[in-house]
Amino acid sequence: MIQCWRLDTPAQTLVLASHNSHLPEVVHWGAPLPEGEGLVALARALQPDVTGGMLDARPPMTVCPLPGDVFPGQPGADIGALKPRLRLEEVVEEAGLLELGFRDGDITYTLTARTHAACDVIELSARMTGARIGWLAAPGLPAPVLADEMIGYAGKWIGEFTAQTIPWRVGAHVREVRDGRTSHEAFPGLVMPARGAGNGTGEVFALHLGTSGGHRMVAEELPDGRRQVLFGPMLSAEGSDDVTAGPLYITCSGNGLNGVMQAMQRFARTHILDFPDTDRPRPVHYNCWEAIYFDHDLAELRDIASLAAQLGAERFVLDDGWFKGRSSDTSSLGDWEVDWDKYPEGLQPLIDHVEACGMTFGLWVEPEMVNPDSDLARQHPDWVFGPADQPLGRHQLVLDMALEEVQAYLFARLDAILSTYPVDYLKWDHNRVLPFPDHRQVGAVYALIDRLREAHAHVEIESCASGGARIDYGILKRTHRVWLSDSNDALERMRMQHEAMLFLPPEIMGSHIGPRKCHTSGRTLSMSLRAWVAAQGHFGFEMDPRELTEGETEVLTRVCDWWKANRGWLHRGLAHRLDTRDRGQRASMTVSADGDRFVVWVGQKETPPHVLPHPVRLTGLAANDRYAVRLVSEDSPIPDWMTRGDMALKRGPVTLSGAALMSAGVSLPYMAPQSIWVLEGTRVA
């Protein structure tokens, strides 16, 4: 007997088939199937032949392969020596929801699937109870047959979101993150393009595990040719007898990488992000960190705030160093009280000045950490997570967030700050890894943030973890912005933002103009490049504004004004990555939701391979409509003698059909290394 179920969004169909009430297999994940498709016939049509050198029946590749299945690949759960024979016990089918419950004695397995049709995303999770579980994967999925490679995301501090192309071959590609947080090194996402797929064409599959702790991913090709992908959270060493793995968010596109990017961005905007005020535009940030570090002086901060407001800032964020005894990163974490030596009257005088300048006030915190040199650590050494002799990380240890007294202490301290001062934003940092994975830490952090948000619903929160080490949909359900990287180097940011936008809407990617000489790379880059790259994300700046020249001030102010004028439609638009012949270029565009406007960024990192840039071909436009296209980044540092041709774009707007812009494209002026051109387009009658 075969029982089948299907889940549909406009761009994809997922079909599950259970043989004789066993755990189901995914027999189809891909392009939509007709409404009346015979699912049982499909499952039977895909049953394999039998040949020499194999068992008389090929063991199924279920959503959770178990030891008792005689499956030759990686299992979907670690339950020790147990070999349960799970059987279907309960089915719940409602609009947009499928729940399948299986049992063998005390052991239960529940698969839950939800469709988000408007966003083209399916949400999957698995729950297992009744055994000592060391690991559990979210429901396993087949990988595309016609694919030669997959794309994962590696990285490091100040080098997040490094795309890593991994060839499919027989064997298992296993990636484990055991440091207890999402990590710089392995964003929990995977993109699987079918052969020949690109930015705008071909079939592409994408998955993202939306949890904030360590994770394990298995991408395996079996000797018989089948491929499976498993994603699940890393648990504590002792495991648990009740584990939920997921949510795992999946999408499939017939329109290349841009299709999965648009689906994931729509889904994040609609179902993940929860802003206190949805009508409030994303404010321009000023963060004082790279201007003053730990050297807090009220008079200087007032001067800096005044200049930041003149440049266009709408939010002033006071970073690390404001609390008791904090003059370096070696002490005081955990002692969340104002440093009365630096601020004799508390923070209110600075806040009054910030508000008088027309800005709101934000504050840096790192609640999950403690310095050994702190009152908290001296009073409560038993609150430290992990062994007493563990190595420090950035001079700090992790608090055991699962302890009720730790939760109570942190809530009380943060609640006191937020109740005393008109803080509308917290930059929530996490600057060291855990000594080992423990899923209870993640749940406890979620609970603390949820409680704070309930008590202070107006406060927005940024997820920062030495930059981008905690970026995932789990933390984004509770926060409103991510700090993509501690690197403000515009060339590095150009790459990171290009990759991260596959999963993240640009309006939540904190992107700042750093100092003229980047503090992490040592490079000196033009204000034009720094400002226009920052304008691709959630715009802000954090250099010392007193260092700016008159020319730099003019460029920064103009780009800031442009971003403010356009953020309303940019943050609801459809993003596209553009194909370029030059591998040293990064090109993308955003088209407004109504299709009336668009903006194009073309950044040049390296020396171009040819004398002049190739025409850039656009996408996402109405072929028969006409668009006026103009250059808006007129502040390029390229000298006039290097770009002296009589080009149409230099003389003013160029008006062409969408078909021409998408097939022939438009030529850009000369591009030097470390430069950027930005185009703006408007539909004309």
Side-chain angles (χ1 to χ4, degrees), residues 319-551:
D319 213 285
D320 196 356
W322 58 269
F323 50 98
K324 184 177 67 174
R326 185 71 163 177
S327 57
S328 73
D329 63 1
T330 63
S331 73
S332 306
L333 277 180
D335 300 340
W336 298 110
E337 296 177 358
V338 172
D339 189 323
W340 297 99
D341 291 331
K342 294 179 181 178
Y343 298 95
E345 300 176 67
L347 297 177
Q348 197 60 51
L350 176 59
I351 295 173
D352 289 342
H353 181 80
V354 165
E355 291 181 339
C357 292
M359 299 182 289
T360 61
F361 184 76
L363 198 62
W364 178 94
V365 293
E366 193 175 5
E368 298 155 74
M369 303 292 163
V370 63
N371 287 122
D373 183 11
S374 67
D375 292 344
L376 180 63
R378 285 184 284 269
Q379 293 167 7
H380 295 286
D382 54 316
W383 287 7
V384 171
F385 179 75
D389 60 350
Q390 65 179 288
L392 300 180
R394 200 176 183 247
H395 309 288
Q396 61 198 52
L397 296 162
V398 183
L399 290 172
D400 189 342
M401 297 294 294
L403 295 176
E404 291 185 8
E405 51 266 47
V406 171
Q407 288 271 320
Y409 171 84
L410 291 175
F411 177 81
R413 288 300 177 94
L414 295 173
D415 177 64
I417 293 290
L418 296 176
S419 299
T420 302
Y421 298 110
V423 175
D424 85 329
Y425 178 84
L426 288 178
K427 179 180 176 181
W428 189 297
D429 216 335
H430 187 284
N431 275 311
R432 70 151 285 175
V433 300
L434 276 61
F436 42 78
D438 191 328
H439 60 287
R440 293 169 297 191
Q441 288 284 113
V442 177
V445 171
Y446 286 173
L448 176 60
I449 296 176
D450 290 347
R451 187 180 176 193
L452 281 166
R453 286 193 62 194
E454 184 177 357
H456 304 278
H458 67 287
V459 175
E460 292 186 9
I461 301 174
E462 173 186 293
S463 175
C464 176
S466 295
R470 189 157 64 188
I471 295 177
D472 58 78
Y473 286 3
I475 199 68
L476 277 171
K477 279 194 169 184
R478 296 156 175 87
T479 58
H480 313 94
R481 190 180 198 252
V482 296
W483 186 229
L484 198 61
S485 177
D486 279 346
S487 172
N488 279 323
D489 184 301
L491 296 180
E492 294 299 319
R493 281 293 186 133
M494 192 189 302
R495 177 194 62 75
M496 285 186 268
Q497 291 170 190
H498 191 77
E499 298 298 339
M501 64 192 285
L502 280 170
F503 296 92
L504 304 177
E507 64 269 23
I508 65 166
M509 290 194 293
S511 186
H512 291 179
I513 304 165
R516 186 182 303 119
K517 182 177 181 180
C518 178
H519 290 190
T520 54
S521 70
R523 271 195 285 241
T524 298
L525 300 169
S526 71
M527 177 57 76
S528 173
L529 179 67
R530 288 182 282 154
W532 285 112
V533 169
Q536 288 183 289
H538 186 177
F539 186 82
F541 47 100
E542 61 177 280
M543 87 295 287
D544 188 337
R546 296 170 296 184
E547 80 170 21
L548 296 175
T549 65
E550 183 177 343

Side-chain angles (χ1 to χ4, degrees), residues 52-65:
M54 64 176 288
L55 298 176
D56 292 342
R58 186 170 69 167
M61 188 174 76
T62 72
V63 293
C64 185

Side-chain angles (χ1 to χ4, degrees), residues 186-198:
F187 172 75
L190 187 69
V191 176
M192 301 184 294
R195 187 176 297 160

Side-chain angles (χ1 to χ4, degrees), residues 140-155:
L141 293 160
V145 174
L146 295 179
D148 299 314
E149 58 195 25
M150 54 191 139
I151 302 170
Y153 293 90

